[in-house]
């Protein structure tokens, strides 16, 4: 049972435009959500997080939005740059973020110069 | 500050053999988690150790086991290897902290790529 779903395996975006990556979850106990970015031959690196007490969190070009009623979160990257080309994983945790992280299957983002 | 170190980075085994992978967490991090990454499956949780105790376990067969030492270093072992065990095995560490703490963010190593022939 996939509790965290990323339904788009891949996404291509023109450089300078907005990239929007989506993630859905089914477990209502999840209260802490994270995005990780992964380049080939490297481990995932933490990008941005959001707790269930917020609906938006920004960090530079990256913004995460959380819609608890829809059990949906999204990552916006503006403007997209070639270095953003990577696989992006959505992850969720319960118990105020202290439980194990459950990951989605990832979305491969390609930025077209 | 050194990151999470995993050894070996690459290894090839044959079916039926066993393998041990090692992970050194970031200094001061007491929690170590292991994940398996395969194409199309994302990162599947194997187990988490905290202060030498297994805190949580994923849905993997008993052939997958792990342990944590007093210095927080961790090892995972896979016995009786199968072709389907070919994957990237990722180790991650974190402080574990208070509510919605940045300490709860996992920091990953580069992984150990296991190929089973």
């Amino acid at each position: 049972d996939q509790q965290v779903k990323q339904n788009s395996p891949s996404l291509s975006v023109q450089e300078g435009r907005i990239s929007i990556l989506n993630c859905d979850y089914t477990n209502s106990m999840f209260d802490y959500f994270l995005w990780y970015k992964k380049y080939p031959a490297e481990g995932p690196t933490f990008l941005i997080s959001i707790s269930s007490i917020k609906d938006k969190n920004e960090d530079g070009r990256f913004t995460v939005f959380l819609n608890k009623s829809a059990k949906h979160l999204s990552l916006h990257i503006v403007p997209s740059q070639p270095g953003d080309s990577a696989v992006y994983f959505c992850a969720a945790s319960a118990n105020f973020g202290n439980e194990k992280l459950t990951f989605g299957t990832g979305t491969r983002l390609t930025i077209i110069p | 500050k050194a990151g999470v170190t995993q050894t070996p980075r690459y290894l090839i085994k044959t079916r039926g053999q066993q393998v041990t992978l090692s992970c050194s967490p970031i200094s001061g991090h007491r929690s170590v988690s292991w994940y398996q990454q395969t194409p199309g499956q994302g990162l599947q949780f194997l187990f988490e150790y905290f202060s030498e105790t297994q805190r949580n376990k994923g849905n993997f067969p008993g052939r997958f086991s792990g342990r944590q030492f007093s210095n927080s270093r961790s090892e995972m072992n896979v016995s009786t290897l199968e072709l389907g065990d070919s994957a990237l095995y990722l180790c991650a560490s974190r402080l574990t902290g208070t509510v919605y703490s940045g300490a709860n963010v996992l920091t990953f190593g580069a992984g150990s790529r296991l190929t089973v022939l």
Side-chain angles (χ1 to χ4, degrees):
Chain A
D1 175 34
Q2 194 72 28
Q3 298 186 58
V4 178
K5 300 176 186 177
Q6 294 176 258
N7 292 318
S8 298
S10 63
L11 175 68
S12 294
V13 174
Q14 208 76 34
E15 181 179 358
R17 307 293 289 266
I18 183 172
S19 294
I20 299 177
L21 295 94
N22 294 303
C23 178
D24 298 295
Y25 62 96
T26 57
N27 189 338
S28 57
M29 300 301 291
F30 289 149
D31 55 18
Y32 190 54
F33 305 89
L34 308 90
W35 285 94
Y36 281 80
K37 173 172 142 178
K38 186 179 186 300
Y39 294 118
E42 295 182 13
T45 55
F46 170 71
L47 205 52
I48 192 169
S49 64
I50 188 168
S51 70
S52 58
I53 60 174
K54 294 184 175 182
D55 52 23
K56 177 182 172 182
N57 189 27
E58 275 182 274
D59 184 2
R61 297 186 298 114
F62 302 92
T63 303
V64 56
F65 295 91
L66 175 62
N67 183 332
K68 289 185 289 293
S69 59
K71 293 191 176 67
H72 177 84
L73 64 156
S74 60
L75 174 68
H76 292 210
I77 306 173
V78 182
S80 299
Q81 299 174 353
D84 296 330
S85 294
V87 177
Y88 289 78
F89 290 98
C90 169
S93 176
N95 191 21
F96 308 112
N98 281 296
E99 294 298 321
K100 65 174 185 178
L101 292 192
T102 300
F103 284 82
T105 52
T107 296
R108 180 177 301 279
L109 175 65
T110 303
I111 305 302
I112 304 163
Chain B
K1 197 173 187 181
V4 177
T5 304
Q6 291 188 246
T7 56
R9 288 292 312 276
Y10 302 92
L11 65 165
I12 300 174
K13 293 285 186 178
T14 56
R15 278 179 298 174
Q17 287 188 311
Q18 67 93 28
V19 65
T20 299
L21 308 177
S22 179
C23 172
S24 294
I26 290 173
S27 178
H29 285 194
R30 295 166 62 193
S31 167
V32 174
S33 298
W34 289 89
Y35 285 82
Q36 180 196 65
Q37 186 190 7
T38 53
Q41 290 295 315
L43 278 71
Q44 301 289 309
F45 174 74
L46 281 154
F47 23 67
E48 179 181 12
Y49 287 88
F50 181 80
S51 293
E52 302 179 65
T53 302
Q54 189 178 85
R55 257 179 33 134
N56 218 328
K57 189 176 189 308
N59 296 323
F60 279 81
R63 299 185 297 107
F64 292 81
S65 63
R67 59 177 175 169
Q68 186 180 33
F69 302 96
S70 58
N71 61 358
S72 293
R73 191 177 71 83
S74 177
E75 287 181 349
M76 69 160 281
N77 184 278
V78 187
S79 62
T80 319
L81 284 166
E82 300 177 359
L83 294 178
D85 297 333
S86 294
L88 179 67
Y89 290 88
L90 291 159
C91 169
S93 71
R94 59 179 177 173
L95 278 170
T96 68
T98 54
V99 174
Y100 303 135
S101 167
N104 293 328
V105 171
L106 285 176
T107 300
F108 284 87
S112 292
R113 167 90 45 201
L114 170 65
T115 301
V116 182
L117 301 176

mmCIF file of all heavy atoms in Angstrom, chain A residues 71-107:
data_model
loop_
_atom_site.group_PDB
_atom_site.id
_atom_site.type_symbol
_atom_site.label_atom_id
_atom_site.label_comp_id
_atom_site.label_asym_id
_atom_site.label_seq_id
_atom_site.Cartn_x
_atom_site.Cartn_y
_atom_site.Cartn_z
ATOM 1 N N LYS A 71 -5.205 16.124 1.285
ATOM 2 C CA LYS A 71 -4.040 15.256 1.489
ATOM 3 C C LYS A 71 -3.104 15.381 0.293
ATOM 4 O O LYS A 71 -2.720 14.381 -0.342
ATOM 5 C CB LYS A 71 -4.451 13.805 1.721
ATOM 6 C CG LYS A 71 -5.205 13.570 3.023
ATOM 7 C CD LYS A 71 -5.341 12.075 3.292
ATOM 8 C CE LYS A 71 -5.991 11.807 4.627
ATOM 9 N NZ LYS A 71 -7.400 12.233 4.686
ATOM 10 N N HIS A 72 -2.751 16.604 0.001
ATOM 11 C CA HIS A 72 -1.958 16.904 -1.187
ATOM 12 C C HIS A 72 -0.918 17.949 -0.857
ATOM 13 O O HIS A 72 -1.196 18.912 -0.127
ATOM 14 C CB HIS A 72 -2.876 17.418 -2.297
ATOM 15 C CG HIS A 72 -2.152 17.827 -3.542
ATOM 16 N ND1 HIS A 72 -1.778 16.940 -4.524
ATOM 17 C CD2 HIS A 72 -1.700 19.045 -3.952
ATOM 18 C CE1 HIS A 72 -1.145 17.589 -5.482
ATOM 19 N NE2 HIS A 72 -1.093 18.864 -5.166
ATOM 20 N N LEU A 73 0.297 17.745 -1.373
ATOM 21 C CA LEU A 73 1.293 18.800 -1.285
ATOM 22 C C LEU A 73 1.989 18.965 -2.626
ATOM 23 O O LEU A 73 1.970 18.048 -3.455
ATOM 24 C CB LEU A 73 2.302 18.576 -0.154
ATOM 25 C CG LEU A 73 3.244 17.384 -0.173
ATOM 26 C CD1 LEU A 73 4.466 17.735 0.675
ATOM 27 C CD2 LEU A 73 2.581 16.166 0.414
ATOM 28 N N SER A 74 2.528 20.150 -2.809
ATOM 29 C CA SER A 74 3.207 20.432 -4.060
ATOM 30 C C SER A 74 4.475 21.233 -3.784
ATOM 31 O O SER A 74 4.565 21.964 -2.798
ATOM 32 C CB SER A 74 2.297 21.183 -5.030
ATOM 33 O OG SER A 74 1.885 22.415 -4.482
ATOM 34 N N LEU A 75 5.422 21.076 -4.662
ATOM 35 C CA LEU A 75 6.681 21.818 -4.609
ATOM 36 C C LEU A 75 6.752 22.701 -5.847
ATOM 37 O O LEU A 75 6.629 22.194 -6.964
ATOM 38 C CB LEU A 75 7.868 20.852 -4.582
ATOM 39 C CG LEU A 75 9.256 21.491 -4.662
ATOM 40 C CD1 LEU A 75 9.556 22.288 -3.394
ATOM 41 C CD2 LEU A 75 10.326 20.424 -4.895
ATOM 42 N N HIS A 76 6.936 24.001 -5.634
ATOM 43 C CA HIS A 76 7.071 24.935 -6.734
ATOM 44 C C HIS A 76 8.516 25.418 -6.785
ATOM 45 O O HIS A 76 9.078 25.813 -5.740
ATOM 46 C CB HIS A 76 6.151 26.147 -6.538
ATOM 47 C CG HIS A 76 4.699 25.803 -6.659
ATOM 48 N ND1 HIS A 76 3.757 26.711 -7.116
ATOM 49 C CD2 HIS A 76 4.017 24.665 -6.403
ATOM 50 C CE1 HIS A 76 2.568 26.137 -7.123
ATOM 51 N NE2 HIS A 76 2.708 24.894 -6.693
ATOM 52 N N ILE A 77 9.088 25.411 -7.975
ATOM 53 C CA ILE A 77 10.451 25.906 -8.170
ATOM 54 C C ILE A 77 10.360 27.043 -9.193
ATOM 55 O O ILE A 77 9.949 26.843 -10.330
ATOM 56 C CB ILE A 77 11.381 24.804 -8.711
ATOM 57 C CG1 ILE A 77 11.340 23.566 -7.807
ATOM 58 C CG2 ILE A 77 12.819 25.331 -8.802
ATOM 59 C CD1 ILE A 77 12.100 22.376 -8.362
ATOM 60 N N VAL A 78 10.729 28.248 -8.739
ATOM 61 C CA VAL A 78 10.648 29.424 -9.617
ATOM 62 C C VAL A 78 11.862 30.323 -9.398
ATOM 63 O O VAL A 78 12.093 30.737 -8.254
ATOM 64 C CB VAL A 78 9.372 30.245 -9.332
ATOM 65 C CG1 VAL A 78 9.283 31.426 -10.292
ATOM 66 C CG2 VAL A 78 8.132 29.391 -9.428
ATOM 67 N N PRO A 79 12.603 30.700 -10.447
ATOM 68 C CA PRO A 79 12.534 30.131 -11.790
ATOM 69 C C PRO A 79 13.326 28.835 -11.853
ATOM 70 O O PRO A 79 14.279 28.638 -11.097
ATOM 71 C CB PRO A 79 13.205 31.221 -12.629
ATOM 72 C CG PRO A 79 14.224 31.821 -11.704
ATOM 73 C CD PRO A 79 13.605 31.772 -10.330
ATOM 74 N N SER A 80 12.956 27.957 -12.740
ATOM 75 C CA SER A 80 13.661 26.683 -12.881
ATOM 76 C C SER A 80 15.012 26.902 -13.565
ATOM 77 O O SER A 80 15.121 27.703 -14.497
ATOM 78 C CB SER A 80 12.821 25.708 -13.713
ATOM 79 O OG SER A 80 11.588 25.462 -13.075
ATOM 80 N N GLN A 81 16.008 26.168 -13.077
ATOM 81 C CA GLN A 81 17.359 26.290 -13.617
ATOM 82 C C GLN A 81 17.852 24.902 -14.046
ATOM 83 O O GLN A 81 17.404 23.892 -13.496
ATOM 84 C CB GLN A 81 18.304 26.866 -12.552
ATOM 85 C CG GLN A 81 17.917 28.248 -12.083
ATOM 86 C CD GLN A 81 18.767 28.740 -10.923
ATOM 87 O OE1 GLN A 81 19.589 27.998 -10.372
ATOM 88 N NE2 GLN A 81 18.578 30.007 -10.555
ATOM 89 N N PRO A 82 18.808 24.835 -14.977
ATOM 90 C CA PRO A 82 19.299 23.529 -15.435
ATOM 91 C C PRO A 82 19.799 22.635 -14.293
ATOM 92 O O PRO A 82 19.607 21.417 -14.330
ATOM 93 C CB PRO A 82 20.446 23.910 -16.391
ATOM 94 C CG PRO A 82 20.051 25.241 -16.922
ATOM 95 C CD PRO A 82 19.369 25.949 -15.757
ATOM 96 N N GLY A 83 20.387 23.225 -13.270
ATOM 97 C CA GLY A 83 20.873 22.452 -12.126
ATOM 98 C C GLY A 83 19.774 21.826 -11.299
ATOM 99 O O GLY A 83 20.042 20.986 -10.432
ATOM 100 N N ASP A 84 18.524 22.207 -11.573
ATOM 101 C CA ASP A 84 17.393 21.607 -10.853
ATOM 102 C C ASP A 84 17.012 20.248 -11.441
ATOM 103 O O ASP A 84 16.186 19.535 -10.864
ATOM 104 C CB ASP A 84 16.170 22.526 -10.926
ATOM 105 C CG ASP A 84 16.399 23.856 -10.223
ATOM 106 O OD1 ASP A 84 17.173 23.889 -9.247
ATOM 107 O OD2 ASP A 84 15.797 24.869 -10.663
ATOM 108 N N SER A 85 17.577 19.892 -12.580
ATOM 109 C CA SER A 85 17.286 18.591 -13.183
ATOM 110 C C SER A 85 17.767 17.486 -12.252
ATOM 111 O O SER A 85 18.961 17.376 -11.949
ATOM 112 C CB SER A 85 17.991 18.467 -14.541
ATOM 113 O OG SER A 85 17.463 19.381 -15.467
ATOM 114 N N ALA A 86 16.838 16.678 -11.768
ATOM 115 C CA ALA A 86 17.127 15.645 -10.760
ATOM 116 C C ALA A 86 15.842 14.854 -10.537
ATOM 117 O O ALA A 86 14.797 15.166 -11.105
ATOM 118 C CB ALA A 86 17.589 16.283 -9.449
ATOM 119 N N VAL A 87 15.930 13.857 -9.682
ATOM 120 C CA VAL A 87 14.724 13.152 -9.239
ATOM 121 C C VAL A 87 14.311 13.738 -7.891
ATOM 122 O O VAL A 87 15.148 13.892 -6.993
ATOM 123 C CB VAL A 87 14.969 11.632 -9.094
ATOM 124 C CG1 VAL A 87 13.711 10.949 -8.568
ATOM 125 C CG2 VAL A 87 15.374 11.035 -10.438
ATOM 126 N N TYR A 88 13.044 14.082 -7.763
ATOM 127 C CA TYR A 88 12.520 14.683 -6.543
ATOM 128 C C TYR A 88 11.615 13.679 -5.829
ATOM 129 O O TYR A 88 10.694 13.124 -6.423
ATOM 130 C CB TYR A 88 11.740 15.963 -6.871
ATOM 131 C CG TYR A 88 12.650 17.082 -7.305
ATOM 132 C CD1 TYR A 88 13.178 17.118 -8.589
ATOM 133 C CD2 TYR A 88 13.016 18.087 -6.418
ATOM 134 C CE1 TYR A 88 14.040 18.121 -8.982
ATOM 135 C CE2 TYR A 88 13.877 19.107 -6.809
ATOM 136 C CZ TYR A 88 14.393 19.106 -8.087
ATOM 137 O OH TYR A 88 15.259 20.103 -8.477
ATOM 138 N N PHE A 89 11.904 13.486 -4.546
ATOM 139 C CA PHE A 89 11.113 12.579 -3.723
ATOM 140 C C PHE A 89 10.345 13.374 -2.682
ATOM 141 O O PHE A 89 10.903 14.225 -1.986
ATOM 142 C CB PHE A 89 12.011 11.572 -3.005
ATOM 143 C CG PHE A 89 12.643 10.554 -3.919
ATOM 144 C CD1 PHE A 89 13.940 10.732 -4.375
ATOM 145 C CD2 PHE A 89 11.942 9.422 -4.304
ATOM 146 C CE1 PHE A 89 14.533 9.790 -5.210
ATOM 147 C CE2 PHE A 89 12.524 8.476 -5.137
ATOM 148 C CZ PHE A 89 13.822 8.662 -5.582
ATOM 149 N N CYS A 90 9.085 13.043 -2.550
ATOM 150 C CA CYS A 90 8.248 13.549 -1.483
ATOM 151 C C CYS A 90 8.309 12.527 -0.337
ATOM 152 O O CYS A 90 8.372 11.319 -0.590
ATOM 153 C CB CYS A 90 6.837 13.682 -2.044
ATOM 154 S SG CYS A 90 5.554 13.984 -0.862
ATOM 155 N N ALA A 91 8.314 12.994 0.912
ATOM 156 C CA ALA A 91 8.348 12.086 2.053
ATOM 157 C C ALA A 91 7.439 12.611 3.152
ATOM 158 O O ALA A 91 7.200 13.823 3.249
ATOM 159 C CB ALA A 91 9.777 11.921 2.575
ATOM 160 N N ALA A 92 6.942 11.707 3.998
ATOM 161 C CA ALA A 92 6.035 12.097 5.074
ATOM 162 C C ALA A 92 6.364 11.319 6.341
ATOM 163 O O ALA A 92 6.874 10.201 6.291
ATOM 164 C CB ALA A 92 4.586 11.841 4.661
ATOM 165 N N SER A 93 6.026 11.941 7.466
ATOM 166 C CA SER A 93 6.299 11.319 8.758
ATOM 167 C C SER A 93 5.169 11.652 9.718
ATOM 168 O O SER A 93 4.466 12.655 9.556
ATOM 169 C CB SER A 93 7.624 11.846 9.309
ATOM 170 O OG SER A 93 7.896 11.333 10.600
ATOM 171 N N ALA A 94 4.997 10.808 10.746
ATOM 172 C CA ALA A 94 3.972 11.050 11.753
ATOM 173 C C ALA A 94 4.627 11.436 13.078
ATOM 174 O O ALA A 94 5.844 11.553 13.183
ATOM 175 C CB ALA A 94 3.120 9.797 11.923
ATOM 176 N N ASN A 95 3.794 11.658 14.084
ATOM 177 C CA ASN A 95 4.279 11.939 15.446
ATOM 178 C C ASN A 95 5.209 13.141 15.469
ATOM 179 O O ASN A 95 6.327 13.067 15.974
ATOM 180 C CB ASN A 95 4.991 10.698 16.017
ATOM 181 C CG ASN A 95 5.285 10.833 17.503
ATOM 182 O OD1 ASN A 95 4.657 11.627 18.208
ATOM 183 N ND2 ASN A 95 6.264 10.086 17.963
ATOM 184 N N PHE A 96 4.719 14.229 14.909
ATOM 185 C CA PHE A 96 5.472 15.483 14.877
ATOM 186 C C PHE A 96 6.812 15.347 14.165
ATOM 187 O O PHE A 96 7.767 16.032 14.487
ATOM 188 C CB PHE A 96 5.700 16.020 16.289
ATOM 189 C CG PHE A 96 4.445 16.127 17.102
ATOM 190 C CD1 PHE A 96 4.235 15.304 18.187
ATOM 191 C CD2 PHE A 96 3.446 17.036 16.759
ATOM 192 C CE1 PHE A 96 3.072 15.388 18.928
ATOM 193 C CE2 PHE A 96 2.278 17.124 17.494
ATOM 194 C CZ PHE A 96 2.093 16.293 18.589
ATOM 195 N N GLY A 97 6.872 14.434 13.214
ATOM 196 C CA GLY A 97 8.090 14.264 12.444
ATOM 197 C C GLY A 97 9.083 13.314 13.059
ATOM 198 O O GLY A 97 10.173 13.125 12.537
ATOM 199 N N ASN A 98 8.740 12.666 14.150
ATOM 200 C CA ASN A 98 9.681 11.781 14.821
ATOM 201 C C ASN A 98 9.610 10.328 14.358
ATOM 202 O O ASN A 98 10.439 9.522 14.746
ATOM 203 C CB ASN A 98 9.468 11.835 16.336
ATOM 204 C CG ASN A 98 10.105 13.069 16.935
ATOM 205 O OD1 ASN A 98 11.323 13.234 16.893
ATOM 206 N ND2 ASN A 98 9.297 13.968 17.470
ATOM 207 N N GLU A 99 8.623 9.991 13.568
ATOM 208 C CA GLU A 99 8.523 8.622 13.066
ATOM 209 C C GLU A 99 9.333 8.455 11.784
ATOM 210 O O GLU A 99 9.862 9.413 11.226
ATOM 211 C CB GLU A 99 7.060 8.255 12.820
ATOM 212 C CG GLU A 99 6.219 8.194 14.086
ATOM 213 C CD GLU A 99 6.717 7.135 15.058
ATOM 214 O OE1 GLU A 99 7.123 6.054 14.599
ATOM 215 O OE2 GLU A 99 6.709 7.398 16.273
ATOM 216 N N LYS A 100 9.375 7.237 11.290
ATOM 217 C CA LYS A 100 10.115 6.947 10.068
ATOM 218 C C LYS A 100 9.551 7.780 8.913
ATOM 219 O O LYS A 100 8.384 8.174 8.917
ATOM 220 C CB LYS A 100 9.990 5.467 9.715
ATOM 221 C CG LYS A 100 8.568 5.061 9.366
ATOM 222 C CD LYS A 100 8.492 3.630 8.872
ATOM 223 C CE LYS A 100 7.062 3.348 8.434
ATOM 224 N NZ LYS A 100 6.882 2.000 7.883
ATOM 225 N N LEU A 101 10.409 8.052 7.929
ATOM 226 C CA LEU A 101 9.963 8.746 6.728
ATOM 227 C C LEU A 101 9.454 7.726 5.716
ATOM 228 O O LEU A 101 10.113 6.720 5.451
ATOM 229 C CB LEU A 101 11.109 9.536 6.098
ATOM 230 C CG LEU A 101 11.639 10.751 6.854
ATOM 231 C CD1 LEU A 101 12.548 11.566 5.945
ATOM 232 C CD2 LEU A 101 10.515 11.625 7.357
ATOM 233 N N THR A 102 8.288 8.013 5.158
ATOM 234 C CA THR A 102 7.728 7.216 4.067
ATOM 235 C C THR A 102 7.853 8.031 2.791
ATOM 236 O O THR A 102 7.382 9.174 2.739
ATOM 237 C CB THR A 102 6.250 6.884 4.340
ATOM 238 O OG1 THR A 102 6.156 6.144 5.560
ATOM 239 C CG2 THR A 102 5.670 6.065 3.207
ATOM 240 N N PHE A 103 8.493 7.442 1.784
ATOM 241 C CA PHE A 103 8.802 8.160 0.551
ATOM 242 C C PHE A 103 7.863 7.782 -0.587
ATOM 243 O O PHE A 103 7.360 6.658 -0.659
ATOM 244 C CB PHE A 103 10.236 7.854 0.106
ATOM 245 C CG PHE A 103 11.291 8.561 0.898
ATOM 246 C CD1 PHE A 103 11.713 8.061 2.120
ATOM 247 C CD2 PHE A 103 11.861 9.734 0.425
ATOM 248 C CE1 PHE A 103 12.696 8.716 2.860
ATOM 249 C CE2 PHE A 103 12.837 10.402 1.148
ATOM 250 C CZ PHE A 103 13.248 9.880 2.371
ATOM 251 N N GLY A 104 7.674 8.721 -1.495
ATOM 252 C CA GLY A 104 7.021 8.445 -2.756
ATOM 253 C C GLY A 104 8.016 7.836 -3.724
ATOM 254 O O GLY A 104 9.190 7.645 -3.399
ATOM 255 N N THR A 105 7.552 7.544 -4.930
ATOM 256 C CA THR A 105 8.393 6.861 -5.917
ATOM 257 C C THR A 105 9.246 7.826 -6.737
ATOM 258 O O THR A 105 10.073 7.389 -7.518
ATOM 259 C CB THR A 105 7.535 6.021 -6.868
ATOM 260 O OG1 THR A 105 6.497 6.845 -7.397
ATOM 261 C CG2 THR A 105 6.917 4.832 -6.148
ATOM 262 N N GLY A 106 9.042 9.115 -6.560
ATOM 263 C CA GLY A 106 9.909 10.090 -7.206
ATOM 264 C C GLY A 106 9.375 10.600 -8.528
ATOM 265 O O GLY A 106 8.622 9.922 -9.233
ATOM 266 N N THR A 107 9.755 11.845 -8.855
ATOM 267 C CA THR A 107 9.462 12.460 -10.151
ATOM 268 C C THR A 107 10.775 12.960 -10.735
ATOM 269 O O THR A 107 11.503 13.718 -10.075
ATOM 270 C CB THR A 107 8.489 13.652 -10.004
ATOM 271 O OG1 THR A 107 7.238 13.189 -9.517
ATOM 272 C CG2 THR A 107 8.295 14.365 -11.341
#
